[in-house]
Short mmCIF file of all heavy atoms in Angstrom, two decimals:
data_model
loop_
_atom_site.label_atom_id
_atom_site.label_comp_id
_atom_site.label_asym_id
_atom_site.label_seq_id
_atom_site.Cartn_x
_atom_site.Cartn_y
_atom_site.Cartn_z
N LYS Y 76 7.62 58.56 105.45
CA LYS Y 76 9.02 58.71 105.74
C LYS Y 76 9.80 59.61 104.78
O LYS Y 76 10.99 59.79 104.93
CB LYS Y 76 9.72 57.35 105.77
CG LYS Y 76 9.15 56.38 106.84
CD LYS Y 76 9.89 55.04 106.80
CE LYS Y 76 9.39 54.11 107.84
NZ LYS Y 76 10.11 52.76 107.79
N ASN Y 77 9.07 60.19 103.82
CA ASN Y 77 9.69 61.00 102.82
C ASN Y 77 10.93 60.30 102.21
O ASN Y 77 12.01 60.92 102.03
CB ASN Y 77 10.15 62.37 103.38
CG ASN Y 77 9.00 63.25 103.78
OD1 ASN Y 77 7.92 63.12 103.21
ND2 ASN Y 77 9.23 64.19 104.64
N THR Y 78 10.74 59.01 101.85
CA THR Y 78 11.85 58.26 101.34
C THR Y 78 11.43 57.60 100.05
O THR Y 78 10.35 57.05 99.88
CB THR Y 78 12.25 57.16 102.30
OG1 THR Y 78 12.65 57.78 103.57
CG2 THR Y 78 13.42 56.37 101.79
N LEU Y 79 12.36 57.67 99.07
CA LEU Y 79 12.24 57.02 97.79
C LEU Y 79 13.16 55.80 97.69
O LEU Y 79 14.30 55.90 98.17
CB LEU Y 79 12.59 58.04 96.69
CG LEU Y 79 12.53 57.61 95.22
CD1 LEU Y 79 11.10 57.42 94.75
CD2 LEU Y 79 13.22 58.62 94.32
N TYR Y 80 12.71 54.77 97.02
CA TYR Y 80 13.55 53.56 96.91
C TYR Y 80 13.68 53.14 95.47
O TYR Y 80 12.84 53.37 94.60
CB TYR Y 80 12.91 52.39 97.67
CG TYR Y 80 12.71 52.65 99.19
CD1 TYR Y 80 11.45 53.04 99.70
CD2 TYR Y 80 13.78 52.53 100.08
CE1 TYR Y 80 11.28 53.23 101.01
CE2 TYR Y 80 13.60 52.77 101.37
CZ TYR Y 80 12.34 53.15 101.87
OH TYR Y 80 12.17 53.36 103.21
N LEU Y 81 14.77 52.46 95.21
CA LEU Y 81 14.94 51.81 93.91
C LEU Y 81 15.50 50.39 94.28
O LEU Y 81 16.70 50.23 94.70
CB LEU Y 81 15.98 52.53 93.04
CG LEU Y 81 16.30 51.87 91.69
CD1 LEU Y 81 15.02 51.85 90.85
CD2 LEU Y 81 17.41 52.65 90.98
N ASP Y 82 14.66 49.43 94.03
CA ASP Y 82 15.05 47.96 94.23
C ASP Y 82 15.58 47.43 92.89
O ASP Y 82 14.84 47.47 91.88
CB ASP Y 82 13.84 47.14 94.74
CG ASP Y 82 13.50 47.53 96.19
OD1 ASP Y 82 14.31 47.31 97.09
OD2 ASP Y 82 12.40 47.99 96.41
N MET Y 83 16.79 46.95 92.96
CA MET Y 83 17.46 46.47 91.76
C MET Y 83 17.77 45.08 91.86
O MET Y 83 18.36 44.61 92.87
CB MET Y 83 18.77 47.30 91.57
CG MET Y 83 18.59 48.84 91.78
SD MET Y 83 20.16 49.69 91.83
CE MET Y 83 20.64 49.69 90.12
N SER Y 84 17.38 44.29 90.84
CA SER Y 84 17.64 42.87 90.81
C SER Y 84 18.08 42.50 89.40
O SER Y 84 17.91 43.28 88.43
CB SER Y 84 16.45 42.04 91.19
OG SER Y 84 15.35 42.24 90.28
N SER Y 85 18.64 41.28 89.26
CA SER Y 85 19.17 40.79 87.99
C SER Y 85 20.04 41.87 87.34
O SER Y 85 19.96 42.19 86.14
CB SER Y 85 17.98 40.43 87.04
OG SER Y 85 17.20 39.43 87.63
N LEU Y 86 20.93 42.40 88.16
CA LEU Y 86 21.74 43.55 87.62
C LEU Y 86 22.69 43.09 86.51
O LEU Y 86 23.18 41.96 86.51
CB LEU Y 86 22.50 44.16 88.79
CG LEU Y 86 21.63 45.04 89.71
CD1 LEU Y 86 22.38 45.34 91.01
CD2 LEU Y 86 21.32 46.34 89.03
N LYS Y 87 22.93 44.03 85.61
CA LYS Y 87 23.80 43.80 84.47
C LYS Y 87 24.95 44.75 84.51
O LYS Y 87 24.81 45.83 85.06
CB LYS Y 87 23.01 43.94 83.16
CG LYS Y 87 21.80 43.07 83.00
CD LYS Y 87 21.04 43.39 81.76
CE LYS Y 87 19.81 42.49 81.61
NZ LYS Y 87 19.05 42.83 80.32
N PRO Y 88 26.04 44.46 83.89
CA PRO Y 88 27.17 45.37 83.85
C PRO Y 88 26.76 46.78 83.27
O PRO Y 88 27.26 47.79 83.70
CB PRO Y 88 28.22 44.71 82.95
CG PRO Y 88 27.96 43.25 83.20
CD PRO Y 88 26.46 43.16 83.34
N GLU Y 89 25.83 46.76 82.32
CA GLU Y 89 25.40 48.00 81.78
C GLU Y 89 24.55 48.89 82.71
O GLU Y 89 24.23 50.02 82.41
CB GLU Y 89 24.59 47.83 80.46
CG GLU Y 89 23.50 46.75 80.58
CD GLU Y 89 23.93 45.39 80.09
OE1 GLU Y 89 25.02 44.94 80.48
OE2 GLU Y 89 23.17 44.79 79.31
N ASP Y 90 24.23 48.33 83.90
CA ASP Y 90 23.58 49.11 84.93
C ASP Y 90 24.55 49.96 85.71
O ASP Y 90 24.11 50.74 86.54
CB ASP Y 90 22.77 48.25 85.90
CG ASP Y 90 21.60 47.53 85.20
OD1 ASP Y 90 20.89 48.15 84.41
OD2 ASP Y 90 21.39 46.34 85.45
N THR Y 91 25.83 49.74 85.50
CA THR Y 91 26.85 50.46 86.26
C THR Y 91 26.71 51.98 85.97
O THR Y 91 26.75 52.41 84.76
CB THR Y 91 28.24 49.97 85.87
OG1 THR Y 91 28.40 48.61 86.33
CG2 THR Y 91 29.33 50.84 86.54
N ALA Y 92 26.58 52.76 87.02
CA ALA Y 92 26.38 54.18 86.82
C ALA Y 92 26.31 54.83 88.21
O ALA Y 92 26.18 54.20 89.23
CB ALA Y 92 25.08 54.50 86.06
N MET Y 93 26.40 56.13 88.19
CA MET Y 93 26.01 56.90 89.38
C MET Y 93 24.49 57.14 89.32
O MET Y 93 24.01 57.61 88.28
CB MET Y 93 26.75 58.24 89.38
CG MET Y 93 26.53 59.09 90.59
SD MET Y 93 27.43 58.42 92.12
CE MET Y 93 29.07 58.93 91.67
N TYR Y 94 23.88 56.80 90.42
CA TYR Y 94 22.40 56.89 90.51
C TYR Y 94 21.99 58.13 91.30
O TYR Y 94 22.52 58.30 92.44
CB TYR Y 94 21.82 55.64 91.09
CG TYR Y 94 21.75 54.50 90.11
CD1 TYR Y 94 22.95 53.81 89.71
CD2 TYR Y 94 20.56 54.11 89.46
CE1 TYR Y 94 22.89 52.79 88.79
CE2 TYR Y 94 20.53 53.02 88.58
CZ TYR Y 94 21.70 52.45 88.21
OH TYR Y 94 21.67 51.37 87.26
N TYR Y 95 21.10 58.86 90.78
CA TYR Y 95 20.60 60.09 91.47
C TYR Y 95 19.12 60.05 91.65
O TYR Y 95 18.38 59.62 90.78
CB TYR Y 95 20.91 61.33 90.58
CG TYR Y 95 22.39 61.52 90.28
CD1 TYR Y 95 22.96 60.93 89.12
CD2 TYR Y 95 23.20 62.34 91.07
CE1 TYR Y 95 24.31 61.18 88.87
CE2 TYR Y 95 24.52 62.54 90.74
CZ TYR Y 95 25.06 61.96 89.66
OH TYR Y 95 26.39 62.20 89.32
N CYS Y 96 18.71 60.51 92.79
CA CYS Y 96 17.27 60.75 92.97
C CYS Y 96 17.03 62.24 92.71
O CYS Y 96 17.89 63.11 92.88
CB CYS Y 96 16.78 60.35 94.37
SG CYS Y 96 17.39 61.25 95.73
N ALA Y 97 15.75 62.53 92.31
CA ALA Y 97 15.41 63.87 91.92
C ALA Y 97 13.96 64.15 92.19
O ALA Y 97 13.17 63.23 92.25
CB ALA Y 97 15.75 64.10 90.42
#
Side-chain angles (χ1 to χ4, degrees):
K76 297 180 178 179
N77 289 337
T78 302
L79 179 72
Y80 301 100
L81 180 63
D82 289 298
M83 313 169 74
S84 63
S85 300
L86 284 165
K87 303 175 180 180
E89 50 263 47
D90 294 317
T91 295
M93 184 73 74
Y94 283 73
Y95 301 88
C96 66

